[in-house]
Structure formats: structure tokens, C-alpha cells
Amino acid sequence: MFRNNYDNDVTTFSPTGRIFQVEYALEAIKQGSAAVGMVSKNHVVLVALKRNAEELGSYQKKVIKIDEHLGVALAGLAPDARVLSNFLRQQAMSSKMVFNRPLNLSKAVYSIADKAQENTQSAGGRPYGVGLLIAGIDETGPHLYEFQPSGSVLEYYGTAIGARSQAARTFLEDKYEEFADASKEKLIEYALTALRDTLAQDKELNLYNTTVAVVGKDEPFTIYDDDRVQQWLDLLDSLSNKRHKSSDDENKEEGEEKNEEEEKNEEEEKKNDTEEAEQHDAAQDHPESSHEGDRMDTD
Amino acid sequence: MNHNPVNWGRPSDDQYGPYNYQIANASNVASQATKNSQNEFPTMHTQQPMITGASVVAVKFNDGVVMATDKLGSYGSLLRLDDLERMIQVGDSTVVGVSGDISDFQYLQRLLDELLIEDNYDMEQSNLKASHVHEYLRGVFYNRRSKMNPLWNACVVAGFDADGEVFLKYVNLLGVSYSSPAIATGFGAYMGVPLLRQKVENEEDVKKLEKEDAIKLVRDCMKVLFYRDARSWDKYDLCVITKSTKKIEFQKGLECEGQSWKFARDISGYGLPQQ
Amino acid sequence: MQAQNTLLNTEYSTDAQTEPIEHRFNPYQDNGGTILGIAGEDFAVLAGDTRQTVGYSIDSRYEPKVHDVGDNLLLSANGFSADGVQLVKVFQNQLKWYHFDNNKEMAVSSAARLIQHMLYRKRMFPYYVATILAGLDEEGKGAIYSFDPVGSYEREQCRAGGAAASLIMPFLDNQVNFKNQMDPESNGTKRRPLKYLSLEEVIQLVRDAFTSATERHIEVGDGLQILIVTKDGVRSEYFPLKKD
């Protein structure tokens, strides 16, 4: 059953210098649906794809407001994100209470990075199973950071996390030079286009599964959901993934992130099983059976 | 029967044993040295300042703030310290002028030092502006007064706020704070502020006051205070904060110039009439 | 200063003075100023002078103390200014968490209950302030809530608080609630019926109240700040008062 002797706890290195539990935590992010973030000179935009576990169930929150100038998008274990965002809210509030000063962005991300790092070298716990995109504006301007359970934080012009996010990143890499001078509307359009590229074949963006959030120099962090998101969806020419229309086999490259579909599309799952064998992740080797029961849902 | 009226109505030692000072949270320092001794005191908080600094005087002008503090530290009526600097520069946007208890001032100095170091961790660039320092100090003072253990000071915080604008605000041992174009602590509030307000009654007047005039104004205030405030001195430091150059410049060890004590002979009405 | 000898003149009487005289630190201060709130049919105003004093000194001629705290609520806590500032700050902090937790605006009645709890928490070391909250209720009608320092509160049509409250309140009783006013037709048998005042009338009342209070109370003056809340949001007006 165990193929790996070095992933039982987080305090043991593998002989090749890896800490598998941390790497598995990074895998948890990929199980969550995608979130995209982008920065211009005056705005930061977050967009994300929401999932509903069941047809009759509610959609999971993907973007959390931290303060007037700051918010996060998550991919991975939503409960872990709640803990981190509550901590960030406290940090933001105490900055406001003690200094009457909005929390500095780099201070904010490093504060949770330090928490995450502690979990990568103390026994008896587990790393956070969530990745965050932290968007905000401070005295040095707009910023977008990516937070990972390993405790690493990096700043980006634009990035994406979650299932099939490589497709979004490819789009962003292509367009990033235009971000800086883009208007708010253009930025959101780019972000939604990037998000659209992460969609599975039979999916399209709609006002229920899409979240848009914007923060600007003179604009508090605002989340657009449901009816209020329609105005932004109207910016797109098409709501479904164009790549799937052009060529069907392109989604094979996204094989390793196919877990989103597990719950919904069993057929496709089986088709991809061959690729799965290549993966070293023990958890992923047992797709359906163990997942249906008691696993924590990722969003 | 204890016939001393002082003890009437009080629990007697014969009946209840001697008073246990631990109940009132007796000072742990004293009790370690002299266990169960009678001269143990309950925990004591500052009830009065010891060595003190006198007024802080500050006024806004069209391109910044001028602030001054004299160099004297008084122990009651004793001239105890003669080379005190009571203005603390915090980072590159803030100066805090402090009057009141000098040991508490030095504690504040350490707090603000630590604050600045803390603020420089993790940051691309420090962002500690005068308004932030003021809010921090307000919190420190208010929390201490709420523990009935005040830091016995009145401060004037001057510098630039988060928008780069000129900032001038007062805060004292109670956590009471206010802003005004002309601020002075201690006796300065009675004898300095009226002089300052002749020139700057409101923010409109600030635009009309030039730097040189503001410096002269503050220096005049320091002179008048030296004339009339027995706890002040004629040697002082002066600080000029300039918005256009973003500079904070100190002129240290200035003296009251052009003193004239002619008025003194005409003063009467205090104590015995002079012959 | 020699302590006053309140003891009988016995051979022990001098013993009393061997005990130290205690000077207690006084954590409170009176910073003067006055605030006033009046509710109309579809608006509410909360006004305050901008003078801050201690004793006979005017510390500042412009230190506004009426705050737009968000969610169409106006709040002012008048008395010991450090407590007033702290109360408003803590309230705004709580309001932010309310938004995170409940994802909706705070109703003025909820804000009032929250403020009661904030004040009563410090029952044994109170915030030394007269507090007034203004906003619009669920029906869109103007609402004024007033609080004593330890949190007892009620909704009213109007309320003055602070240094000149006792000067202004009787005037308000007469002019807002028409106390002691009779219907002229009835020959002194029927009271003048109540009616809502217009915003213009209310602002004029507030200005008159403060000009008069400025004349009669040394701690009131310099400037009058009026915040007006309607369904369209909060707007602010400023009128100078005498500076003497």
C-alpha cells in the first residue's frame, strides 16, 4: 500500500531532499477550482470558478474580503482558507486599531507565510491545504501575491491557481505586457478570458459559478456575485472554453488536474486512468472509491 | 479597648491578625527582600511625575511645522538635568516633542525605537508616518491610563501624514488628543498658544505664515516662557519640518536672545510688597 | 498643603496625619462641547460644536466629534474626549466584523443595542460620555438613540448631550415635541398637535440651539458641524460659531 516511506510526516526529508507532505499539500490546491489574479497600475482583479458539490447545493465561496483594501481568492481546502483569512482580518484590524493604517500587503502575506512555514517543520500537524491569491492596494500601489502551503510567497503581474490553471497562466503569459495600462473593465475581461480557458469541455461561465472581485486605488475591495457578475460576463464574446471547440484532444495536457471532473464525469475519468499511473501521488492512485466517502472537499 | 481614635471602627489586630498586604497585591520586589515586613506597600502606580520637562511649543507654517523644547529637566524646583533633548525623531517623517516625566519620556523613546525597527522588518520600505505614530501613542497612553498606571507625559507629534501632508497633533497621559495649527503643552498652553494664535488662528492663516516668521514666533514663545515659567529654561532645541524639501532639521542648543528684564521691576502683587 | 483636621482635638489627634495623604490619579477629564441629534420623517441630523476644551483653556477650535461610521449611521460620544474617540473607534471595528459575519448593513436598532453592550461592559470604569446615535430605521424614518455613560438607552425624536445639554434640551422639548404649546383656537384646552419638522426647519433649530448655547456656555463655540443622514447617504455642513 505504501510506496513511499518518506511521506508519513512533515518532518522527514526524502533522500532526494523533498518533503512529500508539503508537495501533497500543493496537490490539494490543484484539486480546487481555478482562481485567476491580475494587476494593472490602478487595479487588482481576482476572478474564480465556484463549484457546487451537488446540483441542489450552494456554490462554495472563492473570494474572501479581508479589509477595504485587500482580499483573497482560494483554491484547495476552503476551511483552511477561512482560518488564514480570519488571521489576516485580525492583522488588518490591528493595523487599523493601533496605527490607523491599512495593513501593508507584503506584511500581510509574510504573516501567513510564517504560519504556513511553521507547519512544514513541526510534527503532529499538517501543512495548510490551500493556495491563495492575495490582491490588494497599499501605500506602494497595487499588488498580487500567490501564497502556497510551503510558506513561499511570490508577487505576480498575473497568475492562476487551481484545477487546469496552466491554461490560464498560458493566456496571461501571452498578454501580461498589456496589463499595466489596462482599464478596470479590460483587466476583468482578460481575467475572465483566462478563467474561461480553464473550463472543462462541457462547462461554461455563468453568473452562478463565476466570482469577480476588484480593488482599486479609490475603490474598496468589492466582490461581485450572482446577478452582479452578469455585467462582467457580458464583456466576453463566448462563455465556454474555445480551445475545446477547436481541438478535442488538447485537454489531455491537463490530465493531472482532472480531479475536478471525478465527481461529475466518471466516464472521462476512466479514459484518463492510463495517465494516472505515471503519477507518484499515492492519494491520486485511488480515485473514486476513497473519495466519495469522507475526504475533505476542495474548492 | 484601643483608645486611639485612628483605630476606631477598624478591624483590630487582636481579633483578625495583622493586615495581609498580599491581599492588596503587595509589591513583589519589596516582599522578596523583606517577607512579611510591615513596610510592604500595595503595588504602586505613578501618582506624580518626578523629573519633569516643561512646555513643548509647536506651530504650523505654510510649508511645515516648527517645534521647540527647552533642555531642562527639573526635579521639583531643582535644576536637575541641563542637557536634555526632548524631541525624538521617529523615521524620516515624524518628530515627537515630549513634556512631563522624563523617565516615562525615555520609556517612550525606547518604545518608538522598537516600533521603527519592527516597522522595517519584512517591508519593501518603511511606512511609519506621523499620523501612525500619533495613533500608536494615543493607544499607549489610553491603555496605560485605563490601567490606572499612566505614562505622565503630554506629547506633540509633528511631521508628515500618509498623504505627505503636514501633520500636527497633541496627545497626553489620558489619551486625550486634538489637532490645531498651534499647539503647546504645560505652561505653553497658557502663555505660548495665545501668542501663536495671534498669527495662526486657523488653517487659512497657516498659509500666510512664512518659515522664518514661524521660527521667530516659536523663539519668542520660548523667551516669554522663560520669563514667566519658573520650570523653564533659556537653552532649548528647535526643530523645523519642511514639506517642500521633506526635511527634518534640528537646531540644537539655541538660547533666548534679546532678553529684557525691565518689565520685572514693575511686577507687583505677589507676596510682600517690595520697598 | 496641610491636611484638614477633621478629628476631635484629643491627645491622639495628630496621629492621623502620620498616614500619607493620597493623591489619586484622575483618569477622567471634561473636554466640554455639546452634541445634538434630531430625527425627521425621512432624515436624521447629528450635530456637534468643534471646540475641545480643558478647564478654561481652548485646546482646539476644530476637532470634529460627530462621525459618519458607515452603514448610514452617525455617532458621537461627548464628554471625556479620549473615551469618546475610543468608543467610536471600537464601534467601527465591531461594525466591520459585523459585515464579515453577517454580510449585510447594520440596522440602527442593532447598532444601538451594540453600543449599549459596549458601554455596559465598562460599567465599573465607564466611558465618561453622553452618546448619541443617528440613522434611519427599517421603515426609513429618522431615528435618534441616546445613551447614558453606562449604556441605558432609548429611541427619541431629539436629544442634546454634553456640556450645554441642559440649556438646549428644554428648547428642543418646546420646538420639536411642542411641549407647553397649545392650539391657539382651543383657548388653552388642547395641545398643539405633533408634526414632523422639515430638514430646513431642523437645521435652523440646530443652528439656533448652538448659537444660544455658545452665548451662555464657555465650553461651547468655534464651529458647528452638522451631519445629515437621508436615504441617499450622509452629507455634512459647517457653520462658524463665536470664538470667544
Side-chain angles (χ1 to χ4, degrees):
Chain A
M1 171 140 192
F2 292 112
R3 283 198 292 160
N4 197 330
N5 293 318
Y6 300 100
D7 68 355
N8 289 316
D9 67 66
V10 81
T11 57
T12 311
F13 273 110
S14 84
T16 51
R18 299 160 65 174
I19 300 169
F20 283 113
Q21 280 301 326
V22 173
E23 294 187 18
Y24 299 162
L26 298 177
E27 289 302 316
I29 302 171
K30 294 181 189 167
Q31 312 246 358
S33 65
V36 180
M38 288 164 62
V39 199
S40 73
K41 276 184 189 149
N42 297 309
H43 292 93
V44 196
V45 165
L46 294 174
V47 299
L49 194 62
K50 290 182 287 187
R51 271 189 200 146
N52 55 346
E54 288 177 57
E55 220 27 55
L56 300 179
S58 65
Y59 285 82
Q60 182 56 242
K61 249 182 121 147
K62 289 288 284 182
V63 179
I64 301 171
K65 181 172 174 164
I66 302 297
D67 202 346
E68 297 307 306
H69 68 297
L70 160 69
V72 301
L74 62 104
L77 299 179
D80 285 18
R82 248 173 72 82
V83 169
L84 288 168
S85 59
N86 272 333
F87 179 76
L88 279 176
R89 282 173 174 180
Q90 280 166 21
Q91 297 286 303
M93 197 67 79
S94 97
S95 178
K96 202 78 185 157
M97 287 301 270
V98 177
F99 298 112
N100 197 206
R101 172 176 75 177
L103 182 61
N104 176 279
L105 259 285
S106 63
K107 260 207 150 91
V109 291
Y110 285 126
S111 75
I112 52 169
D114 291 349
K115 273 171 80 75
Q117 196 280 336
E118 250 173 63
N119 288 338
T120 67
Q121 58 171 350
S122 47
R126 61 163 174 83
Y128 289 105
V130 71
L132 300 177
L133 296 178
I134 297 130
I137 297 233
D138 63 16
E139 72 284 349
T140 59
H143 296 282
L144 172 70
Y145 287 91
E146 185 194 354
F147 157 88
Q148 292 193 323
S150 55
S152 87
V153 284
L154 286 170
E155 188 167 2
Y156 286 92
Y157 293 116
T159 190
I161 55 173
R164 279 185 298 280
S165 57
Q166 182 55 50
R169 284 199 296 277
T170 309
F171 173 83
L172 296 177
E173 279 160 23
D174 193 38
K175 286 274 196 288
Y176 81 98
E177 281 163 323
E178 292 165 39
F179 295 172
D181 296 313
S183 67
K184 177 175 108 182
E185 289 73 21
K186 195 70 192 162
L187 206 61
I188 294 175
E189 188 191 327
Y190 278 144
L192 285 174
T193 314
L195 185 69
R196 193 181 65 186
D197 283 359
T198 72
L199 287 174
Q201 205 164 7
D202 55 342
K203 289 283 187 320
E204 63 177 29
L205 296 180
N206 61 45
L207 69 168
Y208 300 114
N209 69 8
T210 312
T211 293
V212 175
V214 193
V215 57
K217 278 227 164 77
D218 305 302
E219 194 178 338
F221 190 89
T222 317
I223 301 174
Y224 298 89
D225 272 321
D226 301 329
D227 293 338
R228 303 213 304 154
V229 91
Q230 189 59 50
Q231 53 177 321
W232 305 120
L233 290 176
D234 290 343
L235 296 172
L236 298 180
D237 50 347
S238 154
L239 294 174
S240 55
N241 196 335
K242 275 184 177 165
R243 299 175 316 128
H244 290 301
K245 282 178 184 156
S246 52
S247 76
D248 271 76
D249 51 6
E250 218 172 318
N251 70 329
K252 272 193 178 163
E253 75 172 63
E254 316 296 342
E256 62 175 345
E257 280 130 18
K258 83 195 131 341
N259 280 2
E260 184 201 30
E261 289 155 288
E262 284 175 12
E263 295 155 299
K264 288 159 195 159
N265 197 342
E266 257 180 62
E267 290 175 11
E268 203 184 63
E269 193 55 50
K270 278 168 190 159
K271 189 179 76 188
N272 288 335
D273 262 356
T274 44
E275 289 169 342
E276 188 121 355
E278 291 165 24
Q279 295 182 18
H280 63 265
D281 187 341
Q284 287 200 338
D285 281 337
H286 312 281
E288 255 72 17
S289 50
S290 60
H291 286 185
E292 289 304 318
D294 56 356
R295 67 165 259 232
M296 286 170 86
D297 278 318
T298 53
D299 295 289
Chain B
M1 173 78 188
N2 189 332
H3 294 278
N4 187 340
V6 173
N7 295 308
W8 293 354
R10 298 181 182 214
S12 69
D13 286 3
D14 336 331
Q15 232 170 331
Y16 297 98
Y19 180 68
N20 178 1
Y21 283 87
Q22 298 292 342
I23 292 169
N25 234 343
S27 153
N28 48 0
V29 182
S31 62
Q32 274 165 7
T34 56
K35 268 230 148 51
N36 302 323
S37 74
Q38 278 291 327
N39 51 17
E40 280 180 47
F41 279 116
T43 305
M44 280 195 29
H45 292 155
T46 309
Q47 301 294 336
Q48 55 182 310
M50 295 302 285
I51 299 176
T52 56
S55 312
V56 181
V57 178
V59 69
K60 275 193 194 174
F61 63 95
N62 58 16
D63 191 26
V65 187
V66 178
M67 177 154 70
T69 54
D70 71 28
K71 300 184 82 73
L72 173 63
S74 309
Y75 181 70
S77 55
L78 176 74
L79 190 163
R80 179 68 183 79
L81 306 167
D82 62 3
D83 196 22
L84 255 184
E85 282 176 20
R86 295 190 284 119
M87 284 186 286
I88 319 167
Q89 184 169 352
V90 187
D92 49 13
S93 317
T94 314
V95 176
V96 186
V98 186
S99 62
D101 190 276
I102 294 305
S103 64
D104 286 345
F105 156 71
Q106 287 169 345
Y107 171 69
L108 284 176
Q109 205 165 16
R110 207 167 70 228
L111 277 188
L112 292 171
D113 265 357
E114 281 166 16
L115 183 65
L116 192 66
I117 293 167
E118 184 71 25
D119 193 66
N120 278 289
Y121 282 134
D122 289 348
M123 304 277 268
E124 291 167 4
Q125 60 193 86
S126 171
N127 180 39
L128 196 64
K129 305 297 182 198
S131 53
H132 307 143
V133 173
H134 177 274
E135 187 62 35
Y136 173 76
L137 285 176
R138 193 197 66 79
V140 171
F141 279 124
Y142 184 79
N143 290 141
R144 286 290 294 259
R145 86 99 216 185
S146 297
K147 290 179 194 147
M148 293 297 279
N149 186 197
L151 294 168
W152 215 285
N153 301 104
C155 298
V156 180
V157 182
F160 310 115
D161 68 10
D163 301 321
E165 294 301 317
V166 176
F167 180 90
L168 181 63
K169 208 164 178 177
Y170 166 98
V171 60
N172 71 7
L173 72 166
L174 295 169
V176 167
S177 76
Y178 56 84
S179 59
S180 173
I183 294 178
T185 70
F187 263 91
Y190 302 107
M191 291 185 292
V193 168
L195 296 172
L196 300 174
R197 282 195 187 153
Q198 283 184 339
K199 288 276 191 287
V200 282
E201 181 69 40
N202 50 46
E203 289 290 334
E204 284 302 302
D205 296 339
V206 170
K207 293 176 192 155
K208 292 178 223 147
L209 187 66
E210 296 295 326
K211 181 193 278 189
E212 296 313 315
D213 297 331
I215 294 176
K216 183 170 180 309
L217 191 57
V218 168
R219 298 196 66 172
D220 281 347
C221 284
M222 294 309 280
K223 188 159 72 182
V224 169
L225 282 167
F226 179 59
Y227 285 151
R228 278 299 194 166
D229 178 1
R231 303 284 177 268
S232 73
W233 209 21
D234 59 350
K235 288 182 184 56
Y236 58 92
D237 301 322
L238 189 123
C239 172
V240 183
I241 300 165
T242 314
K243 185 186 165 190
S244 55
T245 59
K246 293 189 172 163
K247 278 221 172 87
I248 295 176
E249 290 155 315
F250 286 93
Q251 300 173 27
K252 289 183 175 165
L254 296 179
E255 295 196 27
C256 294
E257 286 161 4
Q259 289 179 38
S260 165
W261 288 87
K262 270 185 271 174
F263 69 91
R265 55 178 295 149
D266 301 323
I267 295 172
S268 62
Y270 302 97
L272 291 172
Q274 300 291 304
Q275 299 305 315
Chain C
M1 208 168 74
Q2 185 96 19
Q4 254 191 352
N5 191 356
T6 52
L7 291 171
L8 293 174
N9 196 16
T10 68
E11 57 180 305
Y12 300 110
S13 62
T14 51
D15 287 7
Q17 280 150 39
T18 62
E19 294 192 343
I21 301 164
E22 194 183 10
H23 287 276
R24 240 172 95 86
F25 164 66
N26 180 189
Y28 292 115
Q29 188 173 65
D30 184 356
N31 297 110
T34 280
I35 50 173
L36 159 59
I38 301 178
E41 185 164 24
D42 55 356
F43 66 89
V45 300
L46 188 53
D49 66 331
T50 62
R51 176 178 289 185
Q52 189 172 111
T53 65
V54 51
Y56 291 127
S57 294
I58 297 170
D59 277 345
S60 178
R61 296 196 189 280
Y62 186 72
E63 187 63 30
K65 57 173 160 282
V66 184
H67 303 271
D68 170 5
V69 290
D71 285 8
N72 249 219
L73 298 171
L74 307 175
L75 182 60
S76 185
N78 187 256
F80 174 39
S81 74
D83 278 348
V85 167
Q86 186 71 8
L87 183 76
V88 172
K89 208 174 150 73
V90 174
F91 177 81
Q92 286 181 292
N93 188 36
Q94 296 273 312
L95 186 64
K96 196 173 260 185
W97 283 109
Y98 183 90
H99 290 158
F100 288 146
D101 294 342
N102 300 286
N103 209 221
K104 64 173 185 186
E105 288 202 349
M106 190 185 271
V108 65
S109 55
S110 312
R113 183 63 65 86
L114 171 59
I115 290 167
Q116 167 173 66
H117 278 96
M118 286 164 54
L119 290 167
Y120 194 80
R121 261 170 70 90
K122 281 177 63 68
R123 175 64 180 80
M124 295 305 161
F125 187 18
Y127 287 122
Y128 224 85
V129 284
T131 309
I132 300 179
L133 170 74
L136 301 178
D137 68 10
E138 283 90 341
E139 294 169 15
K141 290 196 160 52
I144 297 289
Y145 286 87
S146 65
F147 303 78
D148 84 345
V150 287
S152 72
Y153 77 109
E154 64 176 327
R155 183 175 171 180
E156 294 176 291
Q157 208 54 39
C158 63
R159 171 60 68 181
S166 56
L167 273 61
I168 294 177
M169 207 56 220
F171 170 69
L172 257 35
D173 286 338
N174 184 249
Q175 292 296 307
V176 178
N177 293 323
F178 300 152
K179 292 284 161 65
N180 302 105
Q181 281 195 265
M182 295 297 170
D183 185 353
E185 307 289 294
S186 73
N187 197 216
T189 56
K190 268 173 61 189
R191 295 179 52 186
R192 182 180 164 191
L194 287 174
K195 73 171 183 67
Y196 282 117
L197 301 176
S198 72
L199 180 56
E200 290 68 34
E201 287 171 312
V202 165
I203 288 188
Q204 201 49 55
L205 268 186
V206 170
R207 292 187 63 179
D208 287 348
F210 274 91
T211 352
S212 308
T214 304
E215 291 292 332
R216 284 288 185 174
H217 201 119
I218 56 166
E219 291 168 357
V220 180
D222 289 329
L224 170 60
Q225 182 204 196
I226 309 181
L227 264 58
I228 303 137
V229 55
T230 64
K231 64 177 176 9
D232 303 318
V234 177
R235 110 175 168 262
S236 142
E237 292 193 26
Y238 176 84
F239 302 100
L241 291 172
K242 282 169 77 172
K243 293 186 191 303
D244 58 2

